[in-house]
């Protein structure tokens, strides 16, 4: 939440445009947490999110003369961040090692949280539903329970009358198949739709 009033922020922006480092520091302190959280929701990797945040503020300093204090700084800075994340995904599409990390970060491993909040946009739901429909029936149900609804392995095992080991096996199989499916399709188009949706929910 922006803690600066519109008047105070406008005054800071005027000083910032003139190269005042103290004003820049205050803007940074006011926006860094919310910007980082938004970037992280899309990128899902701490180191890359921190790097993108740093690059964003470097870019702001370099382009400070272009800022209009009469316009919304919040809208301006989030638009820059959104474009940077888009560029990041485009670059990652050419980097197989980073692509692999992104696929793992996209709720395809147990360490990450459920992705239900990212599935409200109709297009994203359709794409995800198409991928899930290609899984074997029980494998798909286990994945939905664990990854989309956020149920634990034990709860899922009880609901389906199977063992936790079987649940784990289904998740492993689903992860492998989904990675394969996404390699066949345009994985990054899926990621970008989800990313835009997460951003719009701010």
């Amino acid at each position: 939440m922006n803690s600066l009033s519109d008047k105070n922020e406008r005054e800071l922006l005027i000083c910032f445009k003139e190269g005042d480092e103290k004003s820049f520091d205050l803007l940074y302190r006011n926006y860094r947490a919310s910007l980082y959280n938004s970037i992280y929701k899309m990128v899902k990797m701490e180191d890359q999110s921190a790097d993108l945040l740093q690059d964003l503020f470097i870019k702001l300093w370099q382009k400070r003369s272009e800022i209009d204090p009469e316009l919304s700084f919040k809208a301006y800075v989030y638009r820059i961040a959104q474009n940077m994340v888009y560029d990041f995904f485009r670059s990652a599409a050419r980097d197989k090692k980073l692509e692999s990390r992104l696929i793992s970060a996209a709720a395809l491993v147990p360490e990450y949280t459920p992705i239900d909040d990212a599935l409200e946009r109709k297009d994203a739901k359709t794409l995800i539903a198409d991928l899930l429909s290609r899984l074997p029936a029980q494998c798909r149900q286990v994945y939905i329970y664990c990854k989309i609804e956020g149920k634990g392995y034990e709860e899922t095992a009880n609901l389906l009358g199977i063992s936790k080991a079987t649940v784990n096996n289904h998740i492993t199989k689903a992860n492998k198949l989904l990675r394969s499916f996404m390699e066949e399709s345009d994985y990054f188009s899926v990621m970008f739709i989800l990313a835009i949706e997460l951003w719009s929910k701010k």
Side-chain angles (χ1 to χ4, degrees):
M1 185 70 179
N2 191 347
S3 61
L4 294 173
S5 68
D6 291 341
K7 180 180 178 181
N8 289 340
E9 184 167 277
R10 189 160 51 248
E11 291 172 352
L12 279 179
L13 291 173
I14 291 172
C15 294
F16 174 45
K17 281 194 65 169
E18 297 174 354
D20 181 61
E21 294 182 5
K22 184 177 180 179
S23 298
F24 175 70
D25 183 61
L26 289 171
L27 290 167
Y28 172 76
R29 292 174 182 274
N30 194 58
Y31 281 97
R32 64 181 176 184
S34 60
L35 279 168
Y36 175 83
N37 289 337
S38 294
I39 292 170
Y40 179 76
K41 283 179 181 179
M42 293 184 282
V43 176
K44 296 188 183 295
M45 292 189 290
E46 292 181 359
D47 49 352
Q48 275 77 14
S49 297
D51 288 345
L52 285 169
L53 181 68
Q54 182 179 29
D55 291 344
L56 186 156
F57 278 96
I58 290 173
K59 182 173 290 189
L60 279 175
W61 177 260
Q62 294 171 339
K63 295 182 176 294
R64 61 188 181 277
S65 62
E66 300 176 11
I67 293 174
D68 186 344
E70 300 304 318
L71 299 179
S72 170
F73 180 71
K74 180 177 181 179
Y76 176 72
V77 74
Y78 275 93
R79 185 167 61 252
I80 292 176
Q82 184 175 344
N83 289 336
M84 290 179 69
V85 170
Y86 176 68
D87 289 341
F88 171 77
F89 279 119
R90 287 197 302 178
S91 297
R94 299 188 294 270
D95 184 334
K96 293 303 179 183
K97 185 175 180 180
L98 180 56
E99 179 184 34
S100 178
R101 291 186 65 194
L102 282 168
I103 291 173
S104 296
L108 294 179
V109 290
E111 288 79 7
Y112 287 88
T113 55
I115 60 172
D116 186 55
D117 286 346
L119 301 180
E120 292 182 7
R121 179 170 172 168
K122 184 178 179 180
D123 289 344
K125 283 184 176 180
T126 301
L127 287 167
I128 297 299
D130 177 64
L131 290 175
L132 294 180
S133 70
R134 299 166 69 179
L135 296 174
Q138 191 169 63
C139 185
R140 178 173 61 250
Q141 190 58 64
V142 167
Y143 186 86
I144 290 172
Y145 278 155
C146 293
K147 294 301 184 179
I148 296 180
E149 297 183 8
K151 291 180 171 60
Y153 281 23
E154 184 172 355
E155 182 182 2
T156 297
N158 291 335
L159 285 170
L160 297 176
I162 58 180
S163 68
K164 285 177 64 177
T166 301
V167 169
N168 183 69
N169 290 338
H170 278 308
I171 290 296
T172 300
K173 181 177 182 179
N175 288 343
K176 183 177 180 179
L177 288 172
L178 287 170
R179 289 189 183 97
S180 175
F181 297 157
M182 287 187 290
E183 287 173 0
E184 294 172 9
S185 63
D186 186 355
Y187 166 72
F188 282 95
S189 70
V190 178
M191 280 299 298
F192 189 61
I193 286 173
L194 294 178
I196 292 299
E197 176 57 21
L198 283 170
W199 196 279
S200 70
K201 289 169 66 63
K202 276 185 50 58

